[in-house]
Amino acid sequence: MKLLITGGAGFIGSHVVRQFVTAYPEYHIYNLDALTYAGNLENLKDVETASNYTFIKGDITDALFVDRLFKTHQFDGVIHLAAESHVDRSITDPLAFVKTNVLGTIHLLNAFKGLWGSNFEGKLFYHISTDEVYGTLGETGLFTETTSYDPNSPYSASKASSDHFVRAYGETYGLPYVITNCSNNYGPNQFPEKLIPLFIHNIIQNKPLPVYGDGNYTRDWLYVIDHARAIDLVFHQCKQGETYNIGGFNEWKNIDLVKLLCDKMDQRLHRPKGQSEQLITYVKDRPGHDKRYAIDASKINETLGWQPSVTFEQGLEKTIDWYLGNAEWLAHVTSGEYQSYYERQYS
């Protein structure tokens, strides 16, 4: 099995690469990443010398490069995680999200189709998506695999478009695919632009904790290592042409999550209870902010036997402990020093 994982130096991608490199020594795992601001090869120091692992620096928006890569390595499977994923950045620069998330996905689909033609026996194109394509929920209800798409941000619109293209290639060309839509991930190695690592870093530095609007936006949270386990399971046991929702069964309002994080950080840093909570600062809401996401993950639970291994409180404690125990990683990320790791290791 020659398996291409795109975006494998990113947050979720690095955990997926590690999962497959360590669990399947008989596979060869190729990690393709452009090493933009969120791609960090320091995330994979523990597997970078493995005999069944190869890193390739490259951009999925370069169609000729992608096509040559597939012809050279003859990939049997693709797990496609490479994406622009920060909603705030998509509001500022939507075209960057169209280029990577839509065109990049199409280039991969074309290369996969061009390599194998109609002989797809034993092949799979696995596309990783998000629950944000479904839009927003009211006070009740859950996203299911049949929920209509209703994206509200340039990011979620670009991911919805890529999902549609994957399905269209399946229907039109017979390309074997599977799609998973996941909820908010958290855990080790997450770039500190996202809520949990940003707030952990800010609490350490005694900086303000910016909470959008009234803080009552609700999200379902999924521990990243549980997500990697789910991806492994779907890749090996899925029914082709299906969609599976992956959620953590952990709905939290943002303000409640932040207060829990503050309390746990005060304990870890031996600060008086309530000290970190004083850093909470309410800021102007962002445009098109979805009120609530919540995933019904019963399909993957019932058909493939997957369920989260930790509660949110347990996962949050593991996450805090990791960041506090990896101060050098956090310092490199926040200073930009991590971006020189490729040159040091691969020059």
Side-chain angles (χ1 to χ4, degrees):
M1 169 71 74
K2 292 183 178 181
L3 177 60
L4 176 67
I5 299 177
T6 70
F11 167 47
I12 300 173
S14 63
H15 288 280
V16 175
V17 167
R18 181 178 296 103
Q19 172 75 18
F20 278 80
V21 168
T22 56
Y24 303 101
E26 71 277 20
Y27 293 3
H28 196 97
I29 309 304
Y30 295 84
N31 172 12
L32 172 62
D33 201 292
L35 297 183
T36 57
Y37 76 96
N40 184 357
L41 286 174
E42 291 184 348
N43 295 345
L44 291 164
K45 282 183 177 180
D46 57 321
V47 299
E48 66 184 2
T49 60
S51 60
N52 66 329
Y53 170 71
T54 299
F55 172 71
I56 301 168
K57 185 178 181 181
D59 192 340
I60 62 171
T61 66
D62 184 340
L64 291 177
F65 164 77
V66 170
D67 190 56
R68 286 197 301 269
L69 193 66
F70 274 71
K71 289 177 179 177
T72 299
H73 295 290
Q74 306 277 301
F75 302 119
D76 300 294
V78 177
I79 299 179
H80 176 34
L81 292 121
E84 294 282 353
S85 65
H86 196 312
V87 174
D88 291 350
R89 288 177 182 265
S90 79
I91 293 170
T92 303
D93 186 9
L95 286 179
F97 285 68
V98 173
K99 184 177 180 181
T100 298
N101 298 354
V102 183
L103 293 179
T105 299
I106 293 171
H107 294 331
L108 291 168
L109 289 166
N110 282 337
F112 192 70
K113 177 174 70 71
L115 174 62
W116 298 113
S118 59
N119 182 24
F120 290 118
E121 181 69 26
K123 316 304 178 189
L124 183 67
F125 190 100
Y126 182 173
H127 179 62
I128 311 294
S129 189
T130 171
D131 59 358
E132 297 190 38
V133 299
Y134 298 126
T136 188
L137 289 166
E139 294 297 323
T140 61
L142 299 170
F143 294 136
T144 71
E145 287 80 2
T146 58
T147 299
S148 297
Y149 277 28
D150 189 21
N152 290 315
S153 72
Y155 162 60
S156 56
S158 69
K159 290 297 291 184
S161 178
S162 65
D163 292 6
H164 290 321
F165 272 104
V166 172
R167 291 193 179 94
Y169 272 61
E171 292 296 321
T172 304
Y173 306 111
L175 188 143
Y177 75 90
V178 66
I179 297 173
T180 53
N181 299 79
C182 68
S183 57
N184 283 30
N185 278 225
Y186 71 100
N189 300 109
Q190 189 170 26
F191 193 82
E193 65 181 356
K194 299 297 180 75
L195 190 152
I196 289 177
L198 173 65
F199 281 24
I200 289 173
H201 180 251
N202 283 12
I203 289 171
I204 294 171
Q205 300 292 325
N206 280 302
K207 292 181 179 179
L209 308 179
V211 174
Y212 281 126
D214 60 6
N216 286 318
Y217 293 95
T218 302
R219 301 292 183 261
D220 174 71
W221 292 89
L222 174 63
Y223 189 50
V224 67
I225 295 173
D226 281 336
H227 189 192
R229 288 176 46 247
I231 289 171
D232 182 347
L233 195 63
V234 169
F235 183 80
H236 289 101
Q237 298 186 28
C238 72
K239 180 180 178 182
Q240 292 183 4
E242 291 287 313
T243 296
Y244 298 87
N245 282 348
I246 307 174
F249 301 98
N250 283 306
E251 276 192 70
W252 284 80
K253 290 184 178 179
N254 285 352
I255 190 60
D256 294 334
L257 184 159
V258 173
K259 288 180 178 179
L260 176 65
L261 178 59
C262 287
D263 184 53
K264 291 187 178 296
M265 287 293 290
D266 283 343
Q267 295 175 36
R268 293 294 195 279
L269 298 173
H270 306 292
R271 293 177 178 175
K273 181 178 175 60
Q275 179 173 321
S276 297
E277 194 171 316
Q278 296 176 15
L279 298 171
I280 294 174
T281 304
Y282 293 93
V283 298
K284 182 181 178 181
D285 211 349
R286 72 183 178 204
H289 202 163
D290 292 331
K291 186 69 176 178
R292 175 175 170 258
Y293 304 142
I295 280 215
D296 179 354
S298 59
K299 178 178 177 178
I300 190 173
N301 173 254
E302 294 168 3
T303 62
L304 301 182
W306 176 88
Q307 62 183 7
S309 67
V310 296
T311 65
F312 179 71
E313 293 89 338
Q314 292 169 334
L316 187 61
E317 289 176 357
K318 290 176 179 286
T319 301
I320 291 170
D321 289 344
W322 187 89
Y323 280 97
L324 293 180
N326 289 271
E328 183 180 0
W329 182 94
L330 189 57
H332 282 185
V333 169
T334 53
S335 69
E337 169 63 19
Y338 74 99
Q339 292 180 322
S340 66
Y341 187 80
Y342 174 81
E343 282 72 21
R344 294 198 304 269
Q345 292 299 110
Y346 295 90
S347 59

